[in-house]
Amino acid sequence: MSMRKSVRGQSMFEVVLALFIITMIIVAVVILSTNSIANSLFSRSKTQASRYSQEAVEWLRNERETNSEDFVVATNTPVYCLSTNPPDFSNTGACSSNEVITGTFFKREVTFTTSDVFFFFIINATVVTSWTDPKGYHEAIAVTEFSDIRE
């Protein structure tokens, strides 16, 4: 008579190991999906912020071309919060925590500095559109220079 036993079914160890492997695969897929969604949302926000910064630069160019005297006077104030869309020079100073572009979560500010380069008066405008998300503070910056067309 043989002492062999017939082995049927799975041992408890094999079942636990299989469940562990399946769980790790599911966790990895969830983590990858979450990171992908977060990166997609960040990219969308960065693109939108860049668009708002560029929009402000184009508005500044138009203001300079159509109202050059008023534009130069406006640049005497170093910072404006451009929370309206389209922007305007009505809100002087940095944006407060609740001053965002209407209908968004973005803050947009323009900072003016002036310099003389080879006897030409140059106005430097730096537009910063910023936002905060779970990953922290982010900003999109557009910089441009204007010469004084009155000269």
Side-chain angles (χ1 to χ4, degrees):
M1 190 164 188
S2 169
M3 302 269 279
R4 287 190 197 180
K5 286 187 177 180
S6 174
V7 179
R8 293 185 186 172
Q10 305 291 323
S11 72
M12 183 62 91
F13 176 74
E14 291 169 330
V15 171
V16 170
L17 182 61
L19 286 174
F20 176 76
I21 291 171
I22 290 170
T23 302
M24 289 297 107
I25 291 171
I26 291 172
V27 167
V29 168
V30 168
I31 289 171
L32 287 173
S33 297
T34 302
N35 285 340
S36 177
I37 291 168
N39 289 337
S40 175
L41 291 174
F42 172 77
S43 293
R44 184 172 15 155
S45 295
K46 183 72 171 182
T47 300
Q48 186 71 30
S50 296
R51 192 161 27 112
Y52 283 128
S53 291
Q54 191 59 40
E55 175 186 87
V57 167
E58 294 300 324
W59 174 77
L60 290 169
R61 285 186 184 131
N62 184 53
E63 286 296 303
R64 180 186 154 229
E65 295 298 321
T66 58
N67 304 315
S68 63
E69 293 290 329
D70 293 339
F71 176 79
V72 172
V73 169
T75 62
N76 291 328
T77 301
V79 179
Y80 289 91
C81 178
L82 303 177
S83 58
T84 59
N85 211 9
D88 61 38
F89 287 125
S90 64
N91 196 355
T92 60
C95 295
S96 67
S97 61
N98 63 344
E99 287 181 301
V100 295
I101 299 171
T102 307
T104 73
F105 52 87
F106 297 102
K107 292 182 187 178
R108 181 174 54 187
E109 297 176 352
V110 61
T111 303
F112 292 108
T113 57
T114 57
S115 58
D116 290 320
V117 178
F118 299 114
F119 307 106
F120 290 102
F121 182 65
I122 303 295
I123 300 168
N124 301 299
T126 303
V127 178
V128 178
T129 303
S130 61
W131 75 101
T132 304
D133 65 14
K135 290 185 176 183
Y137 175 82
H138 311 284
E139 56 188 26
I141 301 172
V143 179
T144 191
E145 293 182 343
F146 301 99
S147 60
D148 189 348
I149 60 175
R150 298 175 302 170
E151 296 176 346

